[in-house]
Short mmCIF file of all heavy atoms in Angstrom, two decimals:
data_model
loop_
_atom_site.label_atom_id
_atom_site.label_comp_id
_atom_site.label_asym_id
_atom_site.label_seq_id
_atom_site.Cartn_x
_atom_site.Cartn_y
_atom_site.Cartn_z
N THR A 14 106.57 94.66 96.53
CA THR A 14 107.28 94.49 95.26
C THR A 14 108.68 93.92 95.48
O THR A 14 109.10 93.01 94.77
CB THR A 14 107.38 95.85 94.52
OG1 THR A 14 106.07 96.36 94.33
CG2 THR A 14 108.07 95.71 93.19
N ALA A 15 109.38 94.44 96.47
CA ALA A 15 110.73 93.97 96.75
C ALA A 15 110.73 92.51 97.23
O ALA A 15 111.60 91.72 96.83
CB ALA A 15 111.39 94.86 97.81
N LEU A 16 109.75 92.14 98.05
CA LEU A 16 109.67 90.75 98.53
C LEU A 16 109.42 89.79 97.38
O LEU A 16 110.07 88.73 97.29
CB LEU A 16 108.58 90.62 99.59
CG LEU A 16 108.87 91.23 100.95
CD1 LEU A 16 107.65 91.11 101.85
CD2 LEU A 16 110.05 90.54 101.60
N PHE A 17 108.50 90.14 96.49
CA PHE A 17 108.22 89.24 95.38
C PHE A 17 109.33 89.26 94.34
O PHE A 17 109.56 88.25 93.67
CB PHE A 17 106.86 89.55 94.76
CG PHE A 17 105.76 88.79 95.42
CD1 PHE A 17 105.05 89.33 96.47
CD2 PHE A 17 105.46 87.50 95.02
CE1 PHE A 17 104.06 88.62 97.09
CE2 PHE A 17 104.46 86.78 95.63
CZ PHE A 17 103.76 87.34 96.68
N ALA A 18 110.05 90.36 94.21
CA ALA A 18 111.20 90.37 93.30
C ALA A 18 112.32 89.50 93.86
O ALA A 18 113.03 88.83 93.10
CB ALA A 18 111.68 91.80 93.09
N SER A 19 112.46 89.47 95.17
CA SER A 19 113.51 88.63 95.77
C SER A 19 113.18 87.14 95.66
O SER A 19 114.08 86.31 95.72
CB SER A 19 113.72 89.02 97.23
OG SER A 19 112.59 88.66 98.00
N LEU A 20 111.92 86.80 95.49
CA LEU A 20 111.55 85.40 95.33
C LEU A 20 112.11 84.79 94.05
O LEU A 20 112.25 83.56 93.96
CB LEU A 20 110.03 85.23 95.35
CG LEU A 20 109.35 85.33 96.70
CD1 LEU A 20 107.84 85.25 96.54
CD2 LEU A 20 109.82 84.24 97.63
N PHE A 21 112.42 85.61 93.06
CA PHE A 21 113.02 85.10 91.82
C PHE A 21 114.41 84.52 92.05
O PHE A 21 114.87 83.68 91.28
CB PHE A 21 113.11 86.19 90.76
CG PHE A 21 111.82 86.46 90.06
CD1 PHE A 21 111.17 87.67 90.22
CD2 PHE A 21 111.24 85.51 89.25
CE1 PHE A 21 109.98 87.93 89.56
CE2 PHE A 21 110.05 85.75 88.58
CZ PHE A 21 109.42 86.96 88.75
N PHE A 22 115.08 84.95 93.10
CA PHE A 22 116.47 84.57 93.30
C PHE A 22 116.67 83.59 94.45
O PHE A 22 117.80 83.30 94.80
CB PHE A 22 117.30 85.83 93.57
CG PHE A 22 117.11 86.88 92.52
CD1 PHE A 22 116.39 88.03 92.78
CD2 PHE A 22 117.62 86.70 91.25
CE1 PHE A 22 116.20 88.99 91.81
CE2 PHE A 22 117.43 87.65 90.26
CZ PHE A 22 116.72 88.80 90.54
N THR A 23 115.59 83.09 95.02
CA THR A 23 115.71 82.18 96.15
C THR A 23 114.92 80.89 95.90
O THR A 23 114.07 80.84 95.03
CB THR A 23 115.18 82.84 97.44
OG1 THR A 23 113.82 83.21 97.25
CG2 THR A 23 116.00 84.05 97.83
N LYS A 24 115.22 79.89 96.68
CA LYS A 24 114.49 78.62 96.64
C LYS A 24 113.68 78.51 97.92
O LYS A 24 114.13 78.91 98.99
CB LYS A 24 115.46 77.44 96.54
CG LYS A 24 116.40 77.51 95.37
CD LYS A 24 115.64 77.43 94.08
CE LYS A 24 116.61 77.47 92.90
NZ LYS A 24 115.97 77.64 91.65
N PHE A 25 112.45 77.98 97.83
CA PHE A 25 111.62 77.94 99.03
C PHE A 25 111.44 76.56 99.61
O PHE A 25 111.07 76.42 100.76
CB PHE A 25 110.27 78.63 98.81
CG PHE A 25 109.46 78.14 97.66
CD1 PHE A 25 108.64 77.05 97.78
CD2 PHE A 25 109.49 78.82 96.46
CE1 PHE A 25 107.89 76.61 96.72
CE2 PHE A 25 108.73 78.41 95.40
CZ PHE A 25 107.92 77.29 95.52
N VAL A 26 111.69 75.48 98.85
CA VAL A 26 111.57 74.12 99.37
C VAL A 26 112.74 73.30 98.84
O VAL A 26 113.11 73.39 97.68
CB VAL A 26 110.24 73.46 98.93
CG1 VAL A 26 110.14 72.03 99.41
CG2 VAL A 26 109.06 74.24 99.45
#
Side-chain angles (χ1 to χ4, degrees):
T14 303
L16 287 175
F17 271 92
S19 69
L20 284 176
F21 281 114
F22 307 107
T23 58
K24 304 295 181 190
F25 55 84
V26 177

